[in-house]
Amino acid sequence: MASLKALKLRIGSVKSTQKITKAMKMVAAAKLRRAQEAAQNGRPYAERLEAVMASLASRVGGVGASPLLAGTGKDQVQLLVVATSERGLAGAFNSNIVRAARRKAEELIAQGKTVKFYLVGKKGRVLKRFYPNAILADQEMGHIKTVSFEDARVVADDLVARFTRGEFDVAHLFFSKFVSALVQEPTGRQLIPVPLATDRAPKSGADAVVEYEPSEEDILADLLPRNIAVQIFRALQENAASEQGSRMNAMDNATRNAGDMINRLSIQYNRTRQAAITTELVEIISGAEAL
Amino acid sequence: MLHFELVTPEKLIRSEEVHMVVVPGTEGDFGVLEGHAPFMSTIRDGALSIYRSAGAQPEIVPIQGGFAEVNAKGLTVLAEHAG
């Protein structure tokens, strides 16, 4: 049985761990609110842009369209853009994203495709262990406190440049979708060529009188790279919110576990102490009786 | 009055009723008043001039990259940077 002193130390150490997890939970809750707000603020832009792109794409059509929309005509080299967080201690947040990406990678490899990775965020680096030769780039976002559109654009410009150089044919983006503070969904979606729900676009008859300046094709060519940046920006924002939500949960659980542990240890401590007192008493009484 | 919205990826900056907005289009500036025909244009880096009422001093908002759309609901400017 553990000595009284050892138990006391143990309780002390669990207590300080609990203090830390509690503080982390509160910090995550505060950051979550801000990240959620930022994600919400970005919605109108993304929605508008998507609507405009869809209506443009439906009238410009497939012939002679930019490869960003139509693709390279091949799908041999597949790029997986994996957006993760910079810090751990957020429950299964990062491992969920990485797992989703790996599942997709295995699926593609089984189909005989070449898979490459583009990592955004430090915690995606575990993928290096599984696919040491497939890492195309590794963007660290550690210096960034809150994602700005500029940061997303740096990534997007790099991706578009690599695409133009023919480094890959299809790109998928992996991130964690923020559903609620309790639920985050690891999600993968196609990034390049830009998938457009053209059937959702308004019938061309309704706005056939719209004038374009410059031409529809030029506007679309201008919007396509921008759309990729917006997609990445949205993903990073959703990720930021999910990360905080996930951390909040993980730290809440940790705090509760620490509480349970303290209760158990206290009971053990009290019992041990009582046992020691009883033993001592028995010794004294039997000593007195012997006289 | 013209319904005017200025949106960046980070947030919705303006949503208000104004008299006229002059937008720096790629192929030249254009002013949008109420009842403008449906129109779409990319924009160059420059400044929006927002006229709250006829003859008032314009409010200048610098913007970068994006496009402007005029439809029946009004004018929407999607810019990468504003203000």
Side-chain angles (χ1 to χ4, degrees):
Chain A
M1 191 177 265
S3 76
L4 274 181
K5 177 127 197 247
L7 276 173
K8 213 172 192 173
L9 283 176
R10 186 84 200 283
I11 291 173
S13 110
V14 175
K15 264 188 186 156
S16 30
T17 307
Q18 189 188 30
K19 261 184 207 155
I20 295 170
T21 57
K22 209 182 214 166
M24 282 183 79
K25 179 194 152 192
M26 287 193 288
V27 170
K31 282 189 178 166
L32 171 67
R33 204 167 314 132
R34 236 176 306 147
Q36 223 177 325
E37 220 166 83
Q40 250 151 25
N41 284 339
R43 218 158 278 167
Y45 187 94
E47 277 166 10
R48 294 272 155 69
L49 189 61
E50 199 167 318
V52 170
M53 295 254 313
S55 83
L56 276 176
S58 68
R59 51 181 57 237
V60 171
V63 192
S66 154
L68 282 177
L69 185 63
T72 53
K74 290 178 292 183
D75 60 351
Q76 181 53 38
V77 184
Q78 305 258 350
L79 182 73
L80 305 186
V81 183
V82 185
T84 52
S85 72
E86 285 296 317
R87 287 153 190 267
L89 289 181
F93 173 74
N94 288 307
S95 41
N96 278 343
I97 298 173
V98 168
R99 193 175 312 137
R102 275 192 68 195
R103 200 175 304 140
K104 182 78 180 176
E106 291 304 329
E107 198 183 294
L108 290 170
I109 289 171
Q111 289 167 22
K113 310 270 192 252
T114 317
V115 174
K116 290 181 183 174
F117 289 93
Y118 190 102
L119 308 179
V120 182
K122 209 160 92 186
K123 289 287 163 186
R125 288 194 190 147
V126 285
L127 282 165
K128 275 187 187 161
R129 225 183 308 149
F130 304 112
Y131 311 98
N133 303 318
I135 311 293
L136 203 59
D138 181 356
Q139 286 267 1
E140 206 175 310
M141 310 292 267
H143 54 286
I144 295 159
K145 265 197 166 155
T146 40
V147 251
S148 73
F149 188 62
E150 279 308 309
D151 309 322
R153 217 181 38 191
V154 170
V155 177
D157 287 349
D158 190 26
L159 277 178
V160 172
R162 284 168 191 277
F163 179 72
T164 327
R165 285 201 298 271
E167 286 184 36
F168 60 90
D169 299 315
V170 181
H172 304 268
L173 177 62
F174 285 86
F175 64 101
S176 183
K177 199 167 153 197
F178 182 82
V179 182
S180 73
L182 293 171
V183 184
Q184 298 88 29
E185 236 172 63
T187 315
R189 68 161 64 130
Q190 191 173 316
L191 191 63
I192 303 173
V194 178
L196 281 178
T198 38
D199 48 313
R200 269 209 334 234
K203 286 270 168 285
S204 48
D207 55 355
V209 286
V210 179
E211 269 183 64
Y212 293 92
E213 183 188 298
S215 66
E216 282 134 294
E217 286 86 354
D218 289 340
I219 295 187
L220 190 61
D222 181 65
L223 291 188
L224 281 167
R226 201 157 294 186
N227 178 273
I228 291 163
V230 169
Q231 292 280 338
I232 291 171
F233 182 56
R234 299 275 304 151
L236 291 179
Q237 277 187 327
E238 295 260 346
N239 247 4
S242 300
E243 181 195 352
Q244 299 305 340
S246 185
R247 176 165 301 128
M248 199 175 89
N249 274 333
M251 288 303 131
D252 188 43
N253 285 339
T255 309
R256 217 170 306 137
N257 278 346
D260 290 349
M261 200 171 210
I262 289 170
N263 284 344
R264 264 205 317 278
L265 287 172
S266 306
I267 288 171
Q268 204 188 337
Y269 175 80
N270 290 342
R271 286 214 178 114
T272 316
R273 181 173 152 272
Q274 193 59 55
I277 292 169
T278 312
T279 323
E280 233 168 87
L281 274 178
V282 168
E283 273 166 14
I284 292 167
I285 291 166
S286 49
E289 272 175 358
L291 281 175
Chain B
M1 295 297 265
L2 170 76
H3 184 67
F4 165 64
E5 282 189 358
L6 177 57
V7 195
T8 69
E10 267 140 47
K11 64 179 195 204
L12 178 69
I13 293 189
R14 294 278 171 97
S15 178
E16 58 193 2
E17 306 296 322
V18 295
H19 174 65
M20 177 173 83
V21 181
V22 177
V23 184
T26 316
E27 297 183 348
D29 289 10
F30 57 91
V32 181
L33 282 155
E34 189 190 1
H36 195 290
F39 179 63
M40 190 177 292
S41 170
T42 49
I43 51 182
R44 63 186 152 79
D45 298 354
L48 285 172
S49 308
I50 304 163
Y51 296 80
R52 291 191 174 275
S53 59
Q57 275 297 311
E59 184 187 347
I60 309 289
V61 180
I63 54 169
Q64 266 175 40
F67 71 101
E69 186 194 10
V70 183
N71 56 27
K73 279 179 244 146
L75 167 69
T76 309
V77 176
L78 283 93
E80 276 183 16
H81 274 286

